[in-house]
Amino acid sequence: MVATPARTPAEQALAARYPAERTLLPGTADVIAIRDAAFGGVEKSGLPHRRVEDWKYTDLRARLKTFPPAAGAADIARVLIAAPAVEDDQARRLVIANGRYRPELSDLKDLEPGLAIFSLATALEAGDAVVLAALKLEDAIATNTAVALNTAFMTDGLVITVADGAEIVRPVELVHIAEGEPAASTAVRHLVTVGKGAKLTLIETIESLDTVAHQSNMMTVIDVGDGAKVDHIRLQLEPDEAVSLTSLVAKIGREASFDTFNAALGAGLARAQIFAEFTGRDARAGFRGITMLSGRRHADTTLFLVHGAENCRSRELYKAVIDDEARSAFAGRIAVPAHAQKTDARMMTASLLLSEEAEADAKPELEIFADDVQCGHGATCGALDDDLLFYLLSRGIPKTEAESMLILAFLGEAIDEIQNQAVHDALIHRVEGWLKARTA
C-alpha cells in the first residue's frame, strides 16, 4: 500500500482555484480541454519535490507556501508613472499589467512592415487554430509543473509574428508589471514566430511595484525560422518577497542564429527554465545569464538543450554571485542524438561565494549518441581571489571597492555578450546598485 502525502496549503489552494476559474479564463472548449489536461497532471502528481530529478535543487512542494488568488485589474495610474527598467527610447514597449495585456499603455504606432502583434486572450476566445496548435507542446515540456500551471491558468499574453525576410530594427520590449496588495498570482504566455531570414530583438522585464509575495509564472515560446536571427534578453527584477517562475521554449531552424540572456536579480524564490532545440542544420545559439543573490534568496537556472540537427554550435555561460545564506542552482543538460554529427557544444557555469553560508549547486550533463562531435562542460565555485584582492588593496583601493571591482569583472564575461547597449547599461546599473547595497 502506497501512502498518499497530505496536500500542502499551496496544493490545496491550487485544487480549490482551478475548478472555480477554468470556465472564467479566456478560451473556447478546445482551450479548456488543454487547460484541463495540464492541470490534471499537476493535481495527480502534486508539486515537485527534491526526489523529482528535474527539481532536485528547488523543492517546490516545500518552498511554495501558498498559491494566492489571481491578480485583479491593475491601477493604471501607478503603472503609468513607473520608471522603465530599461532606458531605451528606441524600444517598442508593450505593457502586461497584472497578467493582462494593456494595448492602451503600449506603443503600437507605425508597426514595421511584417510585424504583427495581438492579444493571446483574444486569440484564445476566437479559437485561433494557429494559436491552439502552438499551445500543444511536447510531453517532456508540457508536463513540466511550471509549464503545466502556466497552461492551466494563463490569462493573457502576446502573439507576435515577424514575416519572412522582415528586419525589425526597433527592439520589442515586453514590460511585465505586478501591482497592488495583497499578494496575487499571474500566468502569462507569449507566442513569438520569426519567419525565414527575419530579425528581431525581444526584451522582457519582470518587476513589481509592491513588496508583497506576488507569484508570477511567465512563459515565452519562440519559433526561430530558417536563416532568422533572434536576440532575446530577460531581466527578472521582482522584490525579495516574490516567487518567480519563467520558462522559455525555443525551436531554432536551419542556419538560424539565436541568443538568450537571463538576469536573475530578484524574487525570494526564482526558477528560470529553458527548453531549446536545434531543428535545422548549420545553426548557432548562445545561452547566457547571471544570478545575484543575498539574504536567504534561492535561484535556479535549468537548461534543457537538444542538438537535434547536424553541424550546430552552442555556447552556454552562466555566472552567479551569492552572499549571506542565499543558494543558487544550475542544471544544464545537452542531448546529442546519433544523427547530429559535427555538433559543437560548450557549457560553463561559475559561482562566486561571498560568505561562508552561501551555497551553489551545479549539475551539468551531456548525453551524446553521435560520434563526430566536440562537446564539453565545466563548473567552478570559489571565493574572491586573495591575490587579486591584495593587489588592489596594495594600491590604496578600499576593500569594499576592490571587492566590487572583482565581482563586476567576474560577471562582465557574461554581461558583455549583450548586444543591446541600453539593456547592457541598465544591467550594469542594477549590478552596481546591488554591490552598493551590499557594502552599505
Side-chain angles (χ1 to χ4, degrees):
M1 178 177 178
V2 178
T4 302
R7 284 180 171 178
T8 65
E11 290 170 335
Q12 293 174 28
L14 280 167
R17 265 191 58 182
Y18 185 71
E21 296 180 9
R22 60 187 286 274
T23 57
L24 302 178
L25 293 164
T28 60
D30 290 336
V31 178
I32 293 174
I34 294 172
R35 292 183 188 276
D36 286 349
F39 185 77
V42 177
E43 189 172 42
K44 182 178 180 181
S45 63
L47 293 172
H49 45 75
R50 60 185 173 86
R51 284 175 290 176
V52 178
E53 187 63 23
D54 290 344
W55 295 81
K56 179 179 180 180
Y57 298 114
T58 301
D59 187 336
L60 204 60
R61 190 169 193 271
R63 290 179 173 275
L64 208 60
K65 302 303 180 186
T66 185
F67 190 67
D75 183 338
I76 297 304
R78 293 190 70 203
V79 175
L80 276 172
I81 62 173
V86 178
E87 296 283 355
D88 186 355
D89 294 336
Q90 300 301 314
R92 181 183 296 284
R93 290 197 172 88
L94 308 173
V95 177
I96 301 94
N98 282 6
R100 293 171 179 80
Y101 172 46
R102 302 306 299 250
E104 74 274 25
L105 304 180
S106 303
D107 178 5
L108 297 170
K109 294 180 181 177
D110 303 324
L111 287 182
E112 293 92 333
L115 176 62
I117 299 169
F118 56 94
S119 159
L120 177 69
T122 301
L124 295 177
E125 291 287 5
D128 186 304
V130 175
V131 170
L132 283 176
L135 295 180
K136 296 174 182 175
L137 303 166
E138 296 172 16
D139 285 348
I141 301 173
T143 55
N144 175 275
T145 299
V147 171
L149 289 175
N150 182 281
T151 302
F153 289 99
M154 60 184 171
T155 52
D156 206 349
L158 288 161
V159 180
I160 299 173
T161 60
V162 181
D164 291 353
E167 296 188 16
I168 309 304
V169 176
R170 295 180 64 187
V172 175
E173 181 181 354
L174 310 183
V175 180
H176 304 84
I177 296 179
E179 182 279 329
E181 298 182 16
S185 63
T186 56
V188 173
R189 181 170 299 191
H190 304 300
L191 304 175
V192 182
T193 303
V194 182
K196 295 178 181 177
K199 294 182 180 179
L200 175 70
T201 296
L202 183 69
I203 303 167
E204 296 186 68
T205 60
I206 308 170
E207 55 188 322
S208 173
L209 302 185
D210 303 283
T211 53
V212 294
H214 287 307
Q215 290 186 17
S216 63
N217 186 328
M218 308 293 177
M219 182 168 174
T220 301
V221 181
I222 301 179
D223 189 350
V224 184
D226 293 348
K229 184 178 189 307
V230 175
D231 191 9
H232 171 258
I233 306 162
R234 178 182 282 155
L235 305 183
Q236 188 267 317
L237 307 168
E238 294 155 292
D240 289 358
E241 294 78 4
V243 173
S244 179
L245 302 175
T246 60
S247 302
L248 171 68
V249 179
K251 300 287 187 184
I252 306 163
R254 180 169 181 156
E255 298 178 0
S257 175
F258 176 68
D259 284 281
T260 181
F261 184 96
N262 184 76
L265 304 180
L269 172 61
R271 176 172 164 112
Q273 308 182 130
I274 301 171
F275 305 89
E277 180 179 5
F278 287 106
T279 58
R281 59 174 298 158
D282 302 322
R284 61 155 299 278
F287 304 86
R288 300 177 180 87
I290 66 166
T291 298
M292 300 188 77
L293 298 171
S294 59
R296 303 190 68 179
R297 291 178 50 213
H298 176 104
D300 174 340
T301 300
T302 296
L303 167 68
F304 303 95
L305 171 61
V306 179
H307 264 264
E310 288 184 317
N311 200 36
C312 291
R313 177 179 182 270
S314 71
R315 293 291 182 268
E316 296 80 29
L317 176 62
Y318 289 89
K319 292 204 166 186
V321 176
I322 312 144
D323 202 357
D324 303 326
E325 299 176 54
R327 181 179 181 181
S328 79
F330 172 82
R333 184 185 306 157
I334 298 177
V336 184
H339 64 273
Q341 303 294 346
K342 305 293 183 185
T343 286
D344 180 357
R346 307 292 169 86
M347 178 164 55
M348 181 67 193
T349 178
S351 299
L352 187 59
L353 304 180
L354 302 181
S355 80
E356 293 291 333
E357 294 75 26
E359 182 175 338
D361 297 297
K363 188 161 109 23
E365 298 177 57
L366 294 174
E367 297 177 351
I368 302 172
F369 296 95
D371 52 17
D372 185 8
V373 303
Q374 295 184 57
C375 296
H377 64 69
T380 66
C381 182
L384 286 170
D385 189 306
D386 288 336
D387 291 338
L388 291 176
L389 188 59
F390 176 78
Y391 176 83
L392 295 175
L393 294 176
S394 67
R395 274 145 182 80
I397 298 174
K399 183 178 180 183
T400 55
E401 187 177 340
E403 289 181 348
S404 295
M405 292 172 65
L406 294 177
I407 295 169
L408 193 56
F410 169 76
L411 295 174
E413 185 182 3
I415 294 175
D416 290 347
E417 294 290 337
I418 297 175
Q419 299 298 311
N420 184 285
Q421 190 62 46
V423 175
H424 177 277
D425 294 347
L427 187 53
I428 290 292
H429 178 71
R430 295 277 179 168
V431 170
E432 290 175 340
W434 189 92
L435 294 171
K436 187 176 180 180
R438 173 178 179 265
T439 57

